[in-house]
Amino acid sequence: MITAVDIGTSLTKAAAFDDSGRVLVEASRHSRLEHHTDGRVEQDLDDVVSTVAAVVREVGERTGQRPRAVALTGQGDGLWLRDSAGRPVRRPISWMDGRAAPVVKRWQRDGVSRQVYDRTGNGLFPGAQGPLLAHLRDHEPESLREAAVAGYCVDSVLHVLTGEIGVDASDASVPFLDADTREYDEQALRACGLEEYRHLLPEPARPRQLFELGANGAELLGLPRGLPVTAGPFDLPACAVGGGLREFGDGLLIVGTTLACQVLTEVGKRRWQDEPSGMWLCTPEEDELLHGMPAMVGTASLDWVLELLGMEIGDLGGALETSPPGANDVSALPFLAPGGERSPFVDPRASGQLSGVRLGTSRSDVVRAVCESVAYAARHCFEAAGLDGKLVACGGGTRSHPWAQVFADVLGQPLHLPDDPGMGARGAAVTAARALGDEVDSGEWTLPLREVEPNPGVRERYEDGYRRYRETLDSMRELWRDWMG
């Protein structure tokens, strides 16, 4: 048995997998996410670790078994500063944080973002490590002086459990790693004026590296000291592993807090865009990369509109069935995150919009318009990422068949949906099993997929809708620049 833990932005989940990839039991705990009115979004490392300990202990109690390994995955990006003992020197900063927006706008204006993108293929956005380091350098230098490590969520939990300082190459990919060589690009660091903090960046671990549970971790998890632990890849590439992406050009759509669009790409065959954005992520396979376009839109946009309208998630299916494709000419832009948008364009000023609303507009029309806008954002991302193969989809948003149908219709191709919400944990478990030396057949571990076919009868409607979405977005980006500088 392998216990895999997926440390999400607001929910930590664990699943116990047997040697054939079957889920034995699952457990989950909510963690605290602190949203501040000025756009700061922070977490508490002790709180996150407590959720990890709780779900691992619950899984152990319910199975009555001791795992062969604990496999960690979780949220990426943000900035989790800690000292050499693994204690945070300040509260971890979430990938959703917007405080570094002025840094990103300045770097876009001065050409820094372009220089970094030309070196690494990674777009800089407010919640990325580079802009956050620059913000703290200018406003909170004492935190950087006290820190020994500038890391991420998963390696911070690993540090607490094992006492080891390390980082998976997938996490380290953004923004300073050359994903082809898996080495930091020193010129990218210099372009950002952050070369003096190079010592805070841990060297990427070997693919599928094994660590050992330390005394503190053993006490927290109720497991023996020395038990193998893996830490990575982080949740986006872990979902690609769990979803069984095999062929270059295949894509993965994650409809969660992040709308993550990824395409499997061969090392040495990266593609660049005219506008710096997106990310190139290392995977456990040294010849494979993921071209990631993780948008800041996602289920949070749906949650917002449902709360605004006094509706609940259980009302979603009925709303989408009531309002027709095109939402009776109501349309939306779904950019509600404090940090604006990061893929397939970077704009800290991006904000949401509803248009076409009249006295006869229903709540269902507004809900459908927002759902369609998120699907349009996914299409925009996949066009930039280079999707030309099979598309696997997962995440909480895909559990709604009507919304999954919207995605299939807008994207114009079938969605392959696994009957398993825990794709990140499954990918982490596959990675751990291979690290232990198991011959893992990914086809055996990947659950059967059901298909959602696009409806050809609404194709023309959604082609028009997508064209209007892109035209509206282009117009609004001009206005955002004029209004907000």
Side-chain angles (χ1 to χ4, degrees):
M1 182 182 90
I2 291 174
T3 298
V5 185
D6 186 350
I7 312 162
T9 304
S10 57
L11 185 70
T12 298
K13 297 166 285 188
F17 294 86
D18 68 14
D19 292 343
S20 64
R22 183 171 61 96
V23 175
L24 303 176
V25 298
E26 296 176 286
S28 64
R29 294 289 189 282
H30 284 279
S31 54
R32 294 195 301 272
L33 190 67
E34 297 186 5
H35 288 269
H36 301 273
T37 56
D38 59 0
R40 289 177 297 126
V41 185
E42 298 181 335
Q43 293 197 261
D44 183 300
L45 179 57
D46 289 336
D47 174 60
V48 170
V49 170
S50 72
T51 66
V52 172
V55 294
V56 170
R57 282 179 173 272
E58 180 178 339
V59 162
E61 290 168 0
R62 290 172 58 192
T63 61
Q65 299 181 45
R66 177 184 297 172
R68 295 192 295 139
V70 173
L72 302 176
T73 186
Q75 60 181 295
D77 297 310
L79 182 60
W80 297 56
L81 289 175
R82 55 191 192 271
D83 63 21
S84 59
R87 296 300 307 155
V89 301
R90 66 162 337 277
R91 297 183 72 84
I93 303 175
S94 169
W95 60 272
M96 300 175 69
D97 193 273
R99 78 188 71 193
V103 174
V104 172
K105 287 190 284 186
R106 183 174 72 247
W107 284 356
Q108 289 177 329
R109 183 189 67 232
D110 297 343
V112 173
S113 293
R114 168 55 65 180
Q115 291 179 58
V116 173
Y117 183 76
D118 288 345
R119 298 293 306 178
T120 69
N122 291 313
L124 295 171
F125 57 93
Q129 188 186 74
L132 290 171
L133 284 170
H135 175 86
L136 294 185
R137 176 198 62 199
D138 297 338
H139 300 280
E140 200 180 302
E142 65 277 7
S143 293
L144 297 180
R145 286 195 296 269
E146 295 171 11
V149 186
Y152 305 87
C153 174
V154 176
D155 58 272
S156 295
V157 175
L158 176 76
H159 199 166
V160 172
L161 297 182
T162 69
E164 297 281 349
I165 296 175
V167 65
D168 190 79
S170 61
D171 262 320
S173 295
V174 183
F176 298 123
L177 205 71
D178 181 327
D180 283 341
T181 65
R182 300 188 177 226
E183 296 179 354
Y184 292 112
D185 188 291
E186 306 296 339
Q187 291 188 43
L189 275 160
R190 283 196 292 273
C192 295
L194 296 171
E195 62 269 30
E196 67 181 293
Y197 302 111
R198 170 66 177 82
H199 66 284
L200 298 179
L201 307 183
E203 293 304 316
R206 302 185 308 276
R208 294 188 282 270
Q209 183 171 338
L210 286 172
F211 300 88
E212 293 184 353
L213 204 60
N216 184 51
E219 182 178 355
L220 285 167
L221 304 187
L223 295 171
R225 185 173 182 175
L227 187 82
V229 179
T230 58
F234 80 93
D235 56 4
L236 300 190
C239 284
V241 174
L245 266 64
R246 299 182 186 87
E247 303 295 330
F248 296 128
D250 285 353
L252 178 72
L253 168 66
I254 307 173
V255 188
T257 307
T258 299
L259 181 75
C261 304
Q262 306 175 85
V263 175
L264 193 65
T265 307
E266 187 176 2
V267 165
K269 295 188 177 180
R270 287 184 289 169
R271 50 186 284 169
W272 267 250
Q273 304 179 89
D274 292 337
E275 183 172 0
S277 67
M279 52 187 65
W280 287 98
L281 303 176
C282 295
T283 75
E285 307 302 327
E286 295 187 86
D287 64 334
E288 296 177 357
L289 300 176
L290 284 163
H291 194 186
M293 290 287 164
M296 301 287 280
V297 304
T299 55
S301 301
L302 174 63
D303 294 340
W304 173 83
V305 75
L306 290 175
E307 182 179 359
L308 182 71
L309 298 175
M311 301 171 71
E312 298 181 353
I313 193 64
D315 300 320
L316 175 60
L320 293 177
E321 296 291 347
T322 301
S323 181
N328 289 315
D329 294 325
V330 179
S331 60
L333 295 179
F335 310 113
L336 303 179
E341 186 51 278
R342 61 178 177 176
S343 294
F345 62 93
V346 175
D347 196 331
R349 298 157 292 202
S351 60
Q353 175 182 301
L354 282 171
S355 61
V357 178
R358 299 177 176 85
L359 289 177
T361 297
S362 69
R363 294 190 302 172
S364 295
D365 292 333
V366 175
V367 170
R368 176 174 271 279
V370 170
C371 287
E372 289 178 346
S373 73
V374 176
Y376 291 140
R379 178 168 170 178
H380 195 187
C381 287
F382 276 122
E383 287 179 353
L387 174 69
D388 61 10
K390 182 178 76 172
L391 182 58
V392 177
C394 63
T398 63
R399 295 175 205 164
S400 164
H401 180 79
W403 198 10
Q405 186 66 58
V406 170
F407 279 102
D409 292 341
V410 167
L411 293 166
Q413 70 178 82
L415 296 188
H416 300 267
L417 299 174
D419 294 319
D420 179 8
M423 299 305 295
R426 181 171 292 275
V430 169
T431 301
R434 288 173 173 161
L436 293 170
D438 295 358
E439 293 291 334
V440 176
D441 182 344
S442 58
E444 180 180 310
W445 269 69
T446 302
L447 294 180
L449 303 174
R450 58 185 175 89
E451 290 191 15
V452 177
E453 293 283 348
N455 178 1
V458 300
R459 181 65 178 168
E460 184 175 347
R461 179 70 183 177
Y462 279 128
E463 288 297 319
D464 289 341
Y466 181 59
R467 182 164 51 252
R468 181 169 64 172
Y469 170 86
R470 292 293 302 272
E471 290 171 352
T472 303
L473 176 57
D474 290 343
S475 298
M476 287 306 300
R477 292 192 68 190
E478 292 292 332
L479 289 175
W480 294 332
R481 278 191 284 268
D482 292 342
W483 291 345
M484 294 177 243

